[in-house]
Amino acid sequence: MPPSLPRSIQAEVAHVRRRAADAQIESTYLDVLEKVSTDHPDLRGLSFGFSVNAAREIVLVNADELSKDQADRLLKVLNGSERLVKQANELADAQIEVFDAESFSATIAFNRQNYAKTIDISAQILAKVEARKAPRDGSAVEVHQRNWNNNWRQQLWAKGERV
């Protein structure tokens, strides 16, 4: 984005890009999870997250319960979806762009080199989907709290690299 644009315009453009990237990746990821569940039934229900690294590849995060074989198969499916890889990278770029445009924090470094250590895209998507379906009458407080905790900004504050 041209640095000659006023900061408020840069931030608004960044937000529009982030919202678009966020909306696109949800259905793609849910489709890929369905494929994983169908093609690899032993992976169904296992806990894992994913992010993207500086080389623009999908990497697993929070996947301690997976064996090496399970992790390898899962990565093959995730990285085998060109659409998911493209959209995950667009989301990462857009979130970093929002961070930069807003001057979000002078105490946190957020870039492609540390993105995968900071943001679990899967947790963000799945928590949002779960919260959208949950009642709003106070009976699903833990679901809505999980959604809040897994929002990319909350992940950034909780796990971001301090400078």
Side-chain angles (χ1 to χ4, degrees):
M1 179 171 341
S4 60
L5 288 175
R7 198 140 194 74
S8 62
I9 302 271
Q10 289 179 17
E12 185 55 36
V13 169
H15 280 286
V16 168
R17 287 183 183 161
R18 190 215 40 90
R19 284 190 297 270
D22 199 41
Q24 284 184 334
I25 196 171
E26 183 179 310
S27 65
T28 300
Y29 183 53
L30 295 176
D31 289 347
V32 170
L33 283 181
E34 185 64 35
K35 179 176 176 40
V36 167
S37 183
T38 301
D39 295 351
H40 304 276
D42 63 311
L43 298 177
R44 187 178 308 137
L46 294 180
S47 180
F48 67 88
F50 84 90
S51 192
V52 287
N53 64 18
R56 306 186 74 76
E57 300 166 327
I58 289 179
V59 294
L60 294 178
V61 296
N62 304 318
D64 296 337
E65 74 178 64
L66 300 179
S67 70
K68 173 142 177 41
D69 173 65
Q70 290 171 322
D72 289 345
R73 287 185 290 130
L74 183 56
L75 276 172
K76 186 174 181 179
V77 173
L78 295 175
N79 279 301
S81 170
E82 290 179 25
R83 198 167 85 196
L84 180 63
V85 172
K86 179 181 181 284
Q87 290 173 354
N89 279 288
E90 288 171 352
L91 180 63
D93 291 340
Q95 289 170 340
I96 292 167
E97 187 178 347
V98 167
F99 174 85
D100 290 342
E102 290 183 341
S103 299
F104 196 62
S105 170
T107 62
I108 297 176
F110 188 47
N111 51 52
R112 288 311 295 250
Q113 285 65 43
N114 64 18
Y115 186 89
K117 292 184 275 188
T118 309
I119 304 296
D120 179 343
I121 297 171
S122 176
Q124 177 183 328
I125 293 169
L126 296 178
K128 182 172 50 172
V129 168
E130 185 181 17
R132 195 178 306 125
K133 296 176 183 177
R136 301 205 184 283
D137 62 2
S139 64
V141 171
E142 69 287 343
V143 171
H144 294 291
Q145 184 64 51
R146 189 168 37 257
N147 182 40
W148 173 260
N149 293 344
N150 286 302
N151 175 282
W152 74 275
R153 290 177 185 267
Q154 292 305 111
Q155 290 188 56
L156 179 57
W157 279 116
K159 300 183 290 186
E161 182 181 313
R162 302 299 191 243
V163 290

